[in-house]
Amino acid sequence: MTVVLEQIFNGFQLGFVYALIALGYTMVYGIIRLINFAHGDVFMVGAFLGVFGYTSWRLPFPLAILVSMVMCAVLGVTIERAAYRPLRYAPRIAALISAIGVSLFLEYFCSLKFVFGPNYRVVDRPFAVTSFRVAGANVSNIQVIVAVVVVVLLALLQYMLFHTKIGKAMRAVSQDHDAARLMGINVDNVISATFAIGSALAAAGGVLYAVAYPQIWPFLGIMPGLKAFTAAVLGGIGIVPGAFLGALIMGQVDVLSAAFISSQFRDAVGFSILILVLLVRPTGLLGSRQPEKV
Amino acid sequence: MKRGTAVVWALLLVASLVLTSGCAKKPAEQPGAQQPQEKIIKIGMIAPLTGDVKTFGESTKNGFLLALEETGNQVAGYKIEPVMGDDRNDPTEAVNVATKLCTQDKVKAIVGSVASKCSIPVSEVCEANKVVQISPTSTNPRVTVDLGRRKTYVFRACFIDPFQGKVGAKFALDTLKAKTAAVLFDQGNDYVIGLANFFKDAFTAGGGKIVAWEAYTKDDADFSAVLTKIAQKKPDILYLPDYYNKVSLIGKQAREKGIKATFMGGDGWDSSELDFATMEGGYFTNHYSAEDPRPEVKAWVDKYQKKYGSTPDALATLAYDATKLLLKAIENAGPDDSTKIRDAMQKLQMDTVSGKISFDENGDPIKPAVILQVSGGKQKYIATVTP
């Protein structure tokens, strides 16, 4: 039993990180119906900046996360300005292709020698790893830190969406751009804010990922990005709680299928579940006819 | 990286296949006409100069260039023009680079690649173009022989994985007195799969028990699930047949999950970027040790140290040996005809730094392996095992 519990903790660690990426996918989709493929790469940039923050720039770890989040927010807004805004009224496929372009650009630009370089870097953790026992199962301090940071960020996001003006504006824009504009909402600013928030969350996820699995390189965002996108679809794309739920499920499926079925079938199991869910509920687990989108 | 470009790569691959099949006949008519006036012979090198195993590529390049430099960049009266290729440890990229070297640069021979998963597709390109290939360090059997078919232009300067796996398993059983082992391998890498399988076979044949057989993929960073599982089984040995970057990451997480097993692995560990602190006490099989008392080794280590300021690893040593073997074959056969170079290579017998080399009918050399231990931030020589 303790083994199962320990594996579930492992699954939560992974799922929480997926959740931070999935939220960005889902928020952007909810607002402008765009699958932002560059999101996984923003996550990668966040990981690098966070690690530079507490190593080269000698910032305390929480500040390093913040700095990385702010810088990635700026990056997200820049991407939106440069690559998506000019295509706002073009056919949707154009923006999608543009997103793939941005993704490849970030990967290969960051691979250049004078940016991050194409090689793997071993990450020095900002603190030593210790583990203690909860109900007989091993829990590491990293798992606790990941959980705490993610829950705090989620609470902040939830507060922002439902108790601030900008949150209200986002919800309005997600329902109807034109009506929102008639109500005096600056739609462009709201979209920029969405990108900023989504990218900042991905950056936080990146830093946590780098600390939890201490090795980084410029293509690190591809697989977690895909998994998080899957999670967002699984939960119902465009729905914030759905992305969180989907990410937790993906994390558990990843870990539990490797642990109790076979590590060789792990990804097959995860993606089969996605297909099954979509066959039964095409809008995802929490999707409905009148979804509350953000 | 993989998504958007997939279509482009597929097109390139088709184009390169068309090109290679079209050019297969050319070398027979061209060399005589072109080379004598210029007196230049081009020799290609393919290695992962960037990416996840970049220290392998750097060492290989160092060994290759040092071997050329020693001959004054001359062989059989021809000036050698080296052509470098970077495969980034990616099989698709390796095929592109090999095709470019064979059809565009028209190299006579290629030294490379390093990883088996790259050397196997490269060997097909070389075979089709009748370009002699010698891989310094690709240990998977399929590099020279695939499905019972010997690739006649392909050689290597290292032992092969059935031997390496057996040496590792025997050492675990006899010297470390291990009874149980867990194996964790990358299911998309020919080298890793091969080594894992050969270790498993030899370990069970010797009376040991494999208690966990777990796979992962190249992009995985989270090994918590399988490691938690392995920690319950308390194996004596955790066999990690992957490259230095991956085993460092897995090793770290394994210790954090409370796994006390002795780590073991293969020649993929040999890098200055291995996480020595994490892998402390682990053993791995390798091609050569800088601490080997033979005079050839000492001379080589001094030479390398003088030029590059560091101790040569097995990658550099074998690249040096492979290049020397190739140059000797070219000298014996003359630089004009690839087929003659190939025949001279097959007959070669030579003392190299990593041991006396002659090729069996598969183009694989018969030579000993060494066992090294990660100890105090360095590699410690433990034993030499002859086949």
Side-chain angles (χ1 to χ4, degrees):
Chain A
M1 205 47 223
T2 54
V3 186
V4 179
L5 194 62
E6 198 167 326
Q7 294 289 18
I8 288 174
F9 288 147
N10 290 336
F12 272 119
Q13 181 183 354
L14 200 56
F16 277 139
V17 177
Y18 286 163
L20 286 183
I21 318 174
L23 286 172
Y25 270 116
T26 233
M27 286 172 68
V28 166
Y29 183 85
I31 286 234
I32 55 170
R33 299 286 179 275
L34 166 75
I35 294 165
N36 179 14
F37 271 118
H39 198 62
D41 303 296
V42 174
F43 165 83
M44 175 272 294
V45 174
F48 269 92
L49 292 177
V51 170
F52 288 156
Y54 70 78
T55 54
S56 319
W57 307 333
R58 294 166 197 284
L59 301 173
F61 183 59
L63 193 61
I65 298 186
L66 267 182
V67 167
S68 167
M69 286 174 73
V70 170
M71 288 169 81
C72 280
V74 174
L75 176 68
V77 172
T78 316
I79 292 173
E80 195 267 331
R81 281 279 160 94
Y84 306 147
R85 188 172 293 184
L87 299 171
R88 180 85 36 90
Y89 300 103
R92 201 169 295 164
I93 192 81
L96 192 70
I97 299 290
S98 181
I100 293 173
V102 173
S103 165
L104 290 171
F105 171 78
L106 282 179
E107 284 160 15
Y108 285 92
F109 181 72
C110 291
S111 296
L112 292 175
K113 283 252 156 60
F114 58 88
V115 189
F116 299 151
N119 302 311
Y120 281 72
R121 280 164 197 263
V122 175
V123 172
D124 293 322
R125 288 180 172 142
F127 42 78
V129 183
T130 52
S131 59
F132 47 89
R133 293 192 163 261
V134 174
N138 273 319
V139 180
S140 72
N141 55 348
I142 288 184
Q143 285 171 323
V144 175
I145 288 169
V146 169
V148 169
V149 173
V150 174
V151 169
V152 168
L153 286 175
L154 273 180
L156 281 176
L157 179 68
Q158 206 65 11
Y159 175 81
M160 195 228 37
L161 283 178
F162 291 96
H163 299 277
T164 64
K165 230 173 170 179
I166 183 80
K168 206 176 206 175
M170 279 179 182
R171 284 183 288 145
V173 171
S174 81
Q175 285 184 3
D176 193 325
H177 281 204
D178 296 329
R181 187 172 284 126
L182 288 175
M183 294 296 123
I185 294 171
N186 186 333
V187 173
D188 280 341
N189 282 356
V190 171
I191 292 173
S192 290
T194 311
F195 270 87
I197 293 165
S199 302
L201 289 175
V207 184
L208 294 176
Y209 191 83
V211 172
Y213 313 114
Q215 215 171 58
I216 54 176
W217 76 309
F219 297 97
L220 127 118
I222 297 172
M223 217 32 207
L226 274 181
K227 286 269 169 71
F229 172 60
T230 312
V233 174
L234 184 66
I237 191 144
I239 306 158
V240 166
F244 185 56
L245 179 70
L248 288 188
I249 292 175
M250 280 305 284
Q252 293 299 350
V253 167
D254 259 19
V255 165
L256 295 182
S257 56
F260 300 109
I261 302 172
S262 162
S263 47
Q264 299 185 42
F265 294 143
R266 191 195 58 191
D267 290 343
V269 173
F271 290 110
S272 305
I273 288 179
L274 171 76
I275 293 169
L276 283 180
V277 168
L278 289 185
L279 282 178
V280 181
R281 285 188 70 98
T283 48
L285 287 175
L286 298 189
S288 61
R289 270 174 303 155
Q290 290 241 291
E292 182 185 30
K293 291 195 216 75
V294 170
Chain B
M1 178 174 66
K2 270 143 201 161
R3 284 187 301 270
T5 41
V7 178
V8 181
W9 285 133
L11 285 175
L12 274 178
L13 199 68
V14 172
S16 65
L17 283 178
V18 173
L19 275 176
T20 45
S21 56
C23 293
K25 286 174 216 87
K26 271 188 186 163
E29 58 200 38
Q30 282 236 342
Q34 201 182 40
Q35 306 260 343
Q37 297 107 23
E38 296 174 353
K39 287 273 194 186
I40 281 179
I41 177 170
K42 286 189 180 176
I43 298 182
M45 188 208 74
I46 303 178
L49 298 171
T50 56
D52 58 344
V53 293
K54 68 131 199 257
T55 71
F56 290 177
E58 285 163 359
S59 294
T60 302
K61 185 175 155 197
N62 287 349
F64 173 72
L65 289 179
L66 191 54
L68 292 188
E69 191 182 276
E70 262 179 36
T71 58
N73 279 318
Q74 298 274 331
V75 62
Y78 281 57
K79 191 175 177 306
I80 301 170
E81 193 183 310
V83 189
M84 300 295 181
D86 177 10
D87 66 22
R88 300 200 308 250
N89 199 28
D90 180 83
T92 319
E93 192 62 27
V95 169
N96 294 341
V97 171
T99 309
K100 175 187 164 276
L101 290 183
C102 290
T103 58
Q104 223 169 303
D105 297 316
K106 305 223 184 296
V107 297
K108 273 279 163 312
I110 291 177
V111 176
S113 176
V114 171
S116 295
K117 69 171 176 185
C118 295
S119 292
I120 293 170
V122 166
S123 69
E124 298 295 346
V125 177
C126 288
E127 184 70 7
N129 287 291
K130 296 196 191 325
V131 168
V132 178
Q133 179 195 2
I134 177 161
S135 166
T137 43
S138 295
T139 46
N140 190 289
R142 284 173 50 212
V143 174
T144 52
V145 182
D146 208 352
L147 301 169
R149 174 178 57 96
R150 158 85 164 102
K151 298 169 199 164
T152 47
Y153 286 84
V154 184
F155 298 85
R156 72 176 109 212
C158 53
F159 52 64
I160 54 176
D161 285 332
F163 175 62
Q164 182 172 201
K166 200 160 83 189
V167 169
K170 260 184 92 76
F171 180 77
L173 289 165
D174 299 347
T175 313
L176 301 179
K177 307 282 176 226
K179 303 259 182 311
T180 53
V183 181
L184 198 53
F185 64 97
D186 176 351
Q187 56 184 341
N189 185 322
D190 298 313
Y191 160 74
V192 179
I193 300 169
L195 198 48
N197 274 309
F198 294 122
F199 176 85
K200 180 175 84 170
D201 294 346
F203 194 74
T204 38
K209 194 163 168 258
I210 302 287
V211 291
W213 177 255
E214 300 292 348
Y216 54 89
T217 59
K218 182 177 172 282
D219 294 322
D220 282 356
D222 172 57
F223 302 95
S224 56
V226 286
L227 290 173
T228 302
K229 207 163 140 188
I230 290 172
Q232 305 300 320
K233 306 242 169 89
K234 298 199 171 38
D236 299 329
I237 301 286
L238 178 57
Y239 194 64
L240 302 171
D242 209 335
Y243 304 124
Y244 59 95
N245 259 317
K246 214 55 163 187
V247 301
S248 300
L249 183 60
I250 299 174
K252 202 171 224 165
Q253 293 185 34
R255 290 291 184 240
E256 282 162 19
K257 289 287 171 202
I259 294 177
K260 304 246 162 30
T262 307
F263 294 146
M264 277 192 73
D267 55 334
W269 284 27
D270 187 10
S271 167
S272 55
E273 288 188 4
L274 184 79
D275 187 340
F276 285 91
T278 301
M279 308 310 283
E280 176 74 24
Y283 296 91
F284 65 102
T285 43
N286 205 358
H287 306 274
Y288 119 110
S289 162
E291 293 172 14
D292 194 324
R294 283 187 301 124
E296 295 97 319
V297 175
K298 192 160 181 322
W300 154 248
V301 172
D302 289 346
K303 201 155 48 187
Y304 190 90
Q305 206 131 33
K306 211 171 128 202
K307 168 107 181 157
Y308 298 110
S310 61
T311 312
D313 54 17
L315 282 303
T317 310
L318 288 188
Y320 176 82
D321 284 354
T323 314
K324 282 285 193 193
L325 285 163
L326 177 67
L327 292 179
K328 183 84 184 153
I330 294 176
E331 212 172 278
N332 291 352
D336 291 334
D337 190 346
S338 301
T339 316
K340 278 189 192 151
I341 299 177
R342 185 232 151 254
D343 293 339
M345 192 83 142
Q346 184 72 53
K347 279 187 235 132
L348 216 55
Q349 273 209 343
M350 205 173 140
D351 272 320
T352 63
V353 179
S354 60
K356 194 175 161 69
I357 289 187
S358 59
F359 294 103
D360 67 7
E361 72 281 5
N362 293 334
D364 302 330
I366 304 151
K367 56 193 284 199
V370 297
I371 291 172
L372 303 176
Q373 186 182 26
V374 181
S375 168
K378 281 209 304 256
Q379 301 177 354
K380 200 169 105 197
Y381 173 75
I382 301 291
T384 302
V385 186
T386 41

